[in-house]
Amino acid sequence: MAIMGSRKHLKRFKAPKHWPIHPKENKWTTKPNAGPHAIEGSLPLLLIVRDILGVADNAREAKRIINNGEILVDGRARKDYKFPVGFMDVIEIPKSEKVYRVLPDEKGRLTLHSIVAENKDFKLCKITEKTTISGGKTQLNLHDGRNHIVDNGYKVGDVVILKVPEQEITDSIDFVKGNIGLITGGKHTGEIGRIKEINITKSSMPNTVEMETEDKKTFLTLKDYVFVIGKEEPAIALPGGK
């Protein structure tokens, strides 16, 4: 039993800090399956249905709702209660006509931000890596585990606007000075700013970015922590109406 428990479940005190559970309530919690997001940057679907959205009172009811296909992730019904949901994913409950986008708060916790139905059909995906494949095509590896074959013209750090569930790239946002970025790591997690300067080092030190907030305050963060979300205006709705 101990072996099966360790495979299917996760001890609560070992769960990521951003999970909305109390470490002392029970010994075990749901362990996400392998999927598009790593465990450190995701929430199992059951926790979202039961603990965040509160549409189920217990795990059994949450599993029934999920198994019935009542919860959509990026436009597709996900019937695995351990499916890992992560940053920028779109959660939809057709029965209640409610839609949410997964975003980080200022403490680095993943939260569900309510959005209007018109915004449910797209998501932003950051290019984390790209490689050249046979035929001269380029493969983009995106932050949510997706891979896309495209013509050249994209670079690592850019963000593509992806139509879901079709998974078609409809536009992109370049990682360049002047564009708007959401900080996804470090002490400035959750903050929004405009890219003021990109500092590329020629050593083993990480590249950094100087950001400027709406009230003209500046701060420095790692380049990898900046997720561009718009040019003149953010392409997505943000908490607090930003």
Short mmCIF file of all heavy atoms in Angstrom, two decimals, residues 144-185:
data_model
loop_
_atom_site.label_atom_id
_atom_site.label_comp_id
_atom_site.label_asym_id
_atom_site.label_seq_id
_atom_site.Cartn_x
_atom_site.Cartn_y
_atom_site.Cartn_z
N ASP A 144 4.43 25.40 -22.34
CA ASP A 144 3.42 24.47 -21.86
C ASP A 144 3.57 23.08 -22.47
O ASP A 144 2.63 22.28 -22.48
CB ASP A 144 2.02 25.01 -22.13
CG ASP A 144 1.70 25.13 -23.60
OD1 ASP A 144 2.62 24.97 -24.43
OD2 ASP A 144 0.52 25.38 -23.93
N GLY A 145 4.77 22.78 -22.99
CA GLY A 145 5.03 21.44 -23.50
C GLY A 145 4.67 21.23 -24.96
O GLY A 145 4.95 20.16 -25.51
N ARG A 146 4.07 22.20 -25.61
CA ARG A 146 3.70 22.05 -27.02
C ARG A 146 4.92 22.25 -27.91
O ARG A 146 5.83 23.00 -27.58
CB ARG A 146 2.61 23.07 -27.41
CG ARG A 146 1.34 22.97 -26.61
CD ARG A 146 0.42 24.13 -26.97
NE ARG A 146 -0.57 24.36 -25.93
CZ ARG A 146 -1.83 23.94 -26.00
NH1 ARG A 146 -2.24 23.28 -27.07
NH2 ARG A 146 -2.68 24.18 -25.02
N ASN A 147 4.88 21.63 -29.07
CA ASN A 147 5.89 21.82 -30.10
C ASN A 147 5.20 22.26 -31.38
O ASN A 147 4.14 21.74 -31.73
CB ASN A 147 6.68 20.52 -30.36
CG ASN A 147 7.43 20.05 -29.14
OD1 ASN A 147 8.01 20.85 -28.42
ND2 ASN A 147 7.40 18.76 -28.88
N HIS A 148 5.80 23.21 -32.09
CA HIS A 148 5.21 23.70 -33.33
C HIS A 148 6.28 23.78 -34.42
O HIS A 148 7.38 24.27 -34.18
CB HIS A 148 4.60 25.09 -33.13
CG HIS A 148 3.16 25.04 -32.71
ND1 HIS A 148 2.12 25.06 -33.62
CD2 HIS A 148 2.59 24.97 -31.49
CE1 HIS A 148 0.97 25.00 -32.96
NE2 HIS A 148 1.23 24.94 -31.68
N ILE A 149 5.93 23.31 -35.61
CA ILE A 149 6.81 23.42 -36.76
C ILE A 149 6.42 24.67 -37.52
O ILE A 149 5.26 24.82 -37.93
CB ILE A 149 6.70 22.18 -37.68
CG1 ILE A 149 6.90 20.89 -36.87
CG2 ILE A 149 7.71 22.28 -38.81
CD1 ILE A 149 8.23 20.78 -36.19
N VAL A 150 7.37 25.57 -37.73
CA VAL A 150 7.07 26.85 -38.37
C VAL A 150 8.20 27.23 -39.33
O VAL A 150 9.26 26.60 -39.35
CB VAL A 150 6.93 27.98 -37.32
CG1 VAL A 150 5.77 27.71 -36.38
CG2 VAL A 150 8.23 28.16 -36.53
N ASP A 151 7.95 28.25 -40.13
CA ASP A 151 9.04 28.86 -40.88
C ASP A 151 9.83 29.71 -39.88
O ASP A 151 9.36 29.99 -38.78
CB ASP A 151 8.49 29.73 -42.01
CG ASP A 151 7.80 28.88 -43.06
OD1 ASP A 151 8.29 27.78 -43.34
OD2 ASP A 151 6.76 29.33 -43.59
N ASN A 152 11.01 30.15 -40.26
CA ASN A 152 11.81 30.94 -39.33
C ASN A 152 11.17 32.29 -39.06
O ASN A 152 10.16 32.65 -39.65
CB ASN A 152 13.23 31.12 -39.87
CG ASN A 152 14.26 31.10 -38.76
OD1 ASN A 152 13.95 31.43 -37.61
ND2 ASN A 152 15.47 30.71 -39.10
N GLY A 153 11.74 33.06 -38.16
CA GLY A 153 11.19 34.37 -37.86
C GLY A 153 10.87 34.55 -36.40
O GLY A 153 10.45 35.62 -35.96
N TYR A 154 11.05 33.49 -35.62
CA TYR A 154 10.82 33.56 -34.17
C TYR A 154 12.14 33.37 -33.44
O TYR A 154 13.06 32.75 -33.96
CB TYR A 154 9.84 32.46 -33.73
CG TYR A 154 8.48 32.53 -34.38
CD1 TYR A 154 8.21 31.80 -35.53
CD2 TYR A 154 7.46 33.30 -33.83
CE1 TYR A 154 6.96 31.84 -36.12
CE2 TYR A 154 6.21 33.35 -34.41
CZ TYR A 154 5.97 32.62 -35.56
OH TYR A 154 4.72 32.67 -36.15
N LYS A 155 12.19 33.88 -32.21
CA LYS A 155 13.39 33.66 -31.40
C LYS A 155 12.97 33.25 -29.99
O LYS A 155 11.84 33.51 -29.55
CB LYS A 155 14.26 34.92 -31.36
CG LYS A 155 13.64 36.12 -30.68
CD LYS A 155 14.60 37.31 -30.72
CE LYS A 155 14.07 38.50 -29.95
NZ LYS A 155 12.81 39.03 -30.48
N VAL A 156 13.90 32.61 -29.29
CA VAL A 156 13.64 32.20 -27.91
C VAL A 156 13.34 33.43 -27.07
O VAL A 156 14.02 34.44 -27.14
CB VAL A 156 14.86 31.44 -27.34
CG1 VAL A 156 14.68 31.17 -25.85
CG2 VAL A 156 15.07 30.13 -28.10
N GLY A 157 12.29 33.33 -26.27
CA GLY A 157 11.85 34.46 -25.44
C GLY A 157 10.63 35.15 -26.01
O GLY A 157 9.88 35.78 -25.27
N ASP A 158 10.43 35.04 -27.35
CA ASP A 158 9.20 35.58 -27.93
C ASP A 158 8.01 34.77 -27.43
O ASP A 158 8.15 33.64 -26.95
CB ASP A 158 9.25 35.48 -29.46
CG ASP A 158 10.25 36.45 -30.09
OD1 ASP A 158 10.76 37.33 -29.37
OD2 ASP A 158 10.52 36.31 -31.30
N VAL A 159 6.83 35.35 -27.57
CA VAL A 159 5.60 34.68 -27.18
C VAL A 159 4.68 34.60 -28.38
O VAL A 159 4.51 35.57 -29.13
CB VAL A 159 4.91 35.45 -26.02
CG1 VAL A 159 3.45 35.02 -25.86
CG2 VAL A 159 5.65 35.21 -24.71
N VAL A 160 4.12 33.41 -28.60
CA VAL A 160 3.15 33.24 -29.69
C VAL A 160 1.74 33.25 -29.12
O VAL A 160 1.51 32.83 -27.98
CB VAL A 160 3.40 31.94 -30.48
CG1 VAL A 160 4.73 31.99 -31.19
CG2 VAL A 160 3.31 30.71 -29.58
N ILE A 161 0.82 33.79 -29.91
CA ILE A 161 -0.60 33.76 -29.54
C ILE A 161 -1.19 32.55 -30.24
O ILE A 161 -1.18 32.44 -31.46
CB ILE A 161 -1.31 35.05 -29.96
CG1 ILE A 161 -0.65 36.25 -29.25
CG2 ILE A 161 -2.79 34.98 -29.62
CD1 ILE A 161 -1.24 37.60 -29.64
N LEU A 162 -1.68 31.62 -29.43
CA LEU A 162 -2.12 30.33 -29.93
C LEU A 162 -3.64 30.22 -29.84
O LEU A 162 -4.24 30.45 -28.79
CB LEU A 162 -1.47 29.22 -29.09
CG LEU A 162 -1.32 27.84 -29.70
CD1 LEU A 162 -0.36 27.87 -30.87
CD2 LEU A 162 -0.83 26.87 -28.64
N LYS A 163 -4.26 29.88 -30.95
CA LYS A 163 -5.70 29.64 -30.97
C LYS A 163 -5.96 28.25 -30.40
O LYS A 163 -5.33 27.28 -30.79
CB LYS A 163 -6.24 29.73 -32.39
CG LYS A 163 -7.75 29.60 -32.51
CD LYS A 163 -8.20 29.76 -33.96
CE LYS A 163 -9.71 29.63 -34.07
NZ LYS A 163 -10.17 29.75 -35.48
N VAL A 164 -6.87 28.16 -29.44
CA VAL A 164 -7.19 26.86 -28.84
C VAL A 164 -8.68 26.57 -29.03
O VAL A 164 -9.49 27.49 -29.04
CB VAL A 164 -6.82 26.83 -27.34
CG1 VAL A 164 -5.33 26.88 -27.15
CG2 VAL A 164 -7.51 27.95 -26.56
N PRO A 165 -9.04 25.29 -29.22
CA PRO A 165 -8.16 24.12 -29.15
C PRO A 165 -7.42 23.78 -30.44
O PRO A 165 -6.69 22.79 -30.48
CB PRO A 165 -9.14 23.00 -28.81
CG PRO A 165 -10.40 23.41 -29.50
CD PRO A 165 -10.46 24.91 -29.38
N GLU A 166 -7.58 24.57 -31.48
CA GLU A 166 -6.96 24.25 -32.78
C GLU A 166 -5.44 24.25 -32.75
O GLU A 166 -4.79 23.63 -33.59
CB GLU A 166 -7.45 25.22 -33.85
CG GLU A 166 -8.92 25.13 -34.15
CD GLU A 166 -9.78 25.94 -33.19
OE1 GLU A 166 -9.23 26.52 -32.21
OE2 GLU A 166 -11.00 26.01 -33.41
N GLN A 167 -4.85 24.98 -31.80
CA GLN A 167 -3.40 25.09 -31.65
C GLN A 167 -2.74 25.74 -32.86
O GLN A 167 -1.64 25.36 -33.27
CB GLN A 167 -2.77 23.72 -31.37
CG GLN A 167 -3.31 23.04 -30.11
CD GLN A 167 -2.45 21.89 -29.66
OE1 GLN A 167 -1.25 22.03 -29.48
NE2 GLN A 167 -3.06 20.73 -29.45
N GLU A 168 -3.39 26.74 -33.40
CA GLU A 168 -2.84 27.48 -34.52
C GLU A 168 -2.21 28.77 -34.01
O GLU A 168 -2.79 29.47 -33.18
CB GLU A 168 -3.94 27.82 -35.53
CG GLU A 168 -4.61 26.62 -36.16
CD GLU A 168 -5.79 27.02 -37.02
OE1 GLU A 168 -6.05 28.25 -37.15
OE2 GLU A 168 -6.47 26.12 -37.55
N ILE A 169 -1.03 29.11 -34.50
CA ILE A 169 -0.37 30.37 -34.16
C ILE A 169 -1.02 31.48 -34.99
O ILE A 169 -0.99 31.43 -36.22
CB ILE A 169 1.13 30.31 -34.41
CG1 ILE A 169 1.78 29.28 -33.47
CG2 ILE A 169 1.78 31.69 -34.20
CD1 ILE A 169 3.27 29.08 -33.70
N THR A 170 -1.61 32.44 -34.33
CA THR A 170 -2.27 33.54 -35.04
C THR A 170 -1.48 34.83 -35.02
O THR A 170 -1.69 35.71 -35.85
CB THR A 170 -3.67 33.80 -34.43
OG1 THR A 170 -3.52 34.18 -33.04
CG2 THR A 170 -4.54 32.56 -34.52
N ASP A 171 -0.55 34.96 -34.07
CA ASP A 171 0.25 36.19 -33.96
C ASP A 171 1.39 35.92 -32.99
O ASP A 171 1.48 34.83 -32.41
CB ASP A 171 -0.61 37.35 -33.46
CG ASP A 171 -0.05 38.72 -33.87
OD1 ASP A 171 1.09 38.76 -34.37
OD2 ASP A 171 -0.74 39.72 -33.67
N SER A 172 2.24 36.90 -32.80
CA SER A 172 3.35 36.75 -31.86
C SER A 172 3.70 38.09 -31.24
O SER A 172 3.35 39.15 -31.76
CB SER A 172 4.58 36.15 -32.55
OG SER A 172 5.07 37.03 -33.55
N ILE A 173 4.38 38.03 -30.11
CA ILE A 173 4.85 39.22 -29.40
C ILE A 173 6.35 39.07 -29.21
O ILE A 173 6.81 38.12 -28.56
CB ILE A 173 4.15 39.36 -28.03
CG1 ILE A 173 2.62 39.31 -28.19
CG2 ILE A 173 4.57 40.66 -27.34
CD1 ILE A 173 1.87 39.20 -26.88
N ASP A 174 7.11 39.98 -29.78
CA ASP A 174 8.57 39.89 -29.70
C ASP A 174 9.08 40.28 -28.32
O ASP A 174 8.52 41.14 -27.64
CB ASP A 174 9.22 40.82 -30.73
CG ASP A 174 8.91 40.40 -32.16
OD1 ASP A 174 8.62 39.20 -32.38
OD2 ASP A 174 8.95 41.27 -33.05
N PHE A 175 10.17 39.62 -27.94
CA PHE A 175 10.85 39.99 -26.70
C PHE A 175 11.81 41.13 -27.04
O PHE A 175 12.98 40.90 -27.36
CB PHE A 175 11.61 38.80 -26.13
CG PHE A 175 12.13 39.01 -24.74
CD1 PHE A 175 11.48 38.48 -23.66
CD2 PHE A 175 13.28 39.76 -24.52
CE1 PHE A 175 11.95 38.68 -22.37
CE2 PHE A 175 13.77 39.98 -23.24
CZ PHE A 175 13.09 39.44 -22.17
N VAL A 176 11.30 42.35 -27.00
CA VAL A 176 12.10 43.52 -27.37
C VAL A 176 11.78 44.68 -26.43
O VAL A 176 10.77 44.68 -25.71
CB VAL A 176 11.81 43.97 -28.83
CG1 VAL A 176 12.27 42.91 -29.82
CG2 VAL A 176 10.33 44.29 -29.01
N LYS A 177 12.67 45.67 -26.44
CA LYS A 177 12.46 46.88 -25.64
C LYS A 177 11.12 47.51 -26.02
O LYS A 177 10.74 47.56 -27.18
CB LYS A 177 13.59 47.88 -25.90
CG LYS A 177 14.92 47.48 -25.32
CD LYS A 177 16.04 48.43 -25.76
CE LYS A 177 15.79 49.85 -25.38
NZ LYS A 177 16.92 50.75 -25.70
N GLY A 178 10.43 48.00 -24.99
CA GLY A 178 9.17 48.68 -25.21
C GLY A 178 7.94 47.82 -25.04
O GLY A 178 6.85 48.35 -24.79
N ASN A 179 8.10 46.50 -25.16
CA ASN A 179 6.95 45.63 -24.98
C ASN A 179 6.68 45.36 -23.49
O ASN A 179 7.54 45.57 -22.65
CB ASN A 179 7.13 44.33 -25.76
CG ASN A 179 6.83 44.50 -27.24
OD1 ASN A 179 6.30 45.55 -27.64
ND2 ASN A 179 7.15 43.51 -28.04
N ILE A 180 5.49 44.88 -23.21
CA ILE A 180 5.04 44.69 -21.82
C ILE A 180 5.33 43.27 -21.37
O ILE A 180 5.12 42.30 -22.13
CB ILE A 180 3.53 44.97 -21.71
CG1 ILE A 180 3.23 46.40 -22.17
CG2 ILE A 180 3.05 44.79 -20.28
CD1 ILE A 180 1.75 46.68 -22.36
N GLY A 181 5.83 43.13 -20.15
CA GLY A 181 6.15 41.81 -19.63
C GLY A 181 5.53 41.54 -18.27
O GLY A 181 5.37 42.45 -17.46
N LEU A 182 5.19 40.28 -18.05
CA LEU A 182 4.71 39.79 -16.76
C LEU A 182 5.85 38.99 -16.14
O LEU A 182 6.43 38.13 -16.79
CB LEU A 182 3.48 38.91 -16.95
CG LEU A 182 2.98 38.09 -15.77
CD1 LEU A 182 2.52 38.99 -14.63
CD2 LEU A 182 1.85 37.16 -16.20
N ILE A 183 6.18 39.28 -14.89
CA ILE A 183 7.29 38.60 -14.22
C ILE A 183 6.80 37.30 -13.59
O ILE A 183 5.84 37.30 -12.82
CB ILE A 183 7.93 39.50 -13.14
CG1 ILE A 183 8.26 40.87 -13.73
CG2 ILE A 183 9.19 38.84 -12.60
CD1 ILE A 183 9.12 40.85 -14.98
N THR A 184 7.46 36.20 -13.93
CA THR A 184 6.99 34.88 -13.49
C THR A 184 7.87 34.22 -12.43
O THR A 184 7.59 33.10 -12.02
CB THR A 184 6.90 33.94 -14.70
OG1 THR A 184 8.21 33.79 -15.30
CG2 THR A 184 5.95 34.49 -15.75
N GLY A 185 8.92 34.91 -11.99
CA GLY A 185 9.79 34.33 -10.97
C GLY A 185 10.55 35.40 -10.20
O GLY A 185 10.58 36.56 -10.62
#
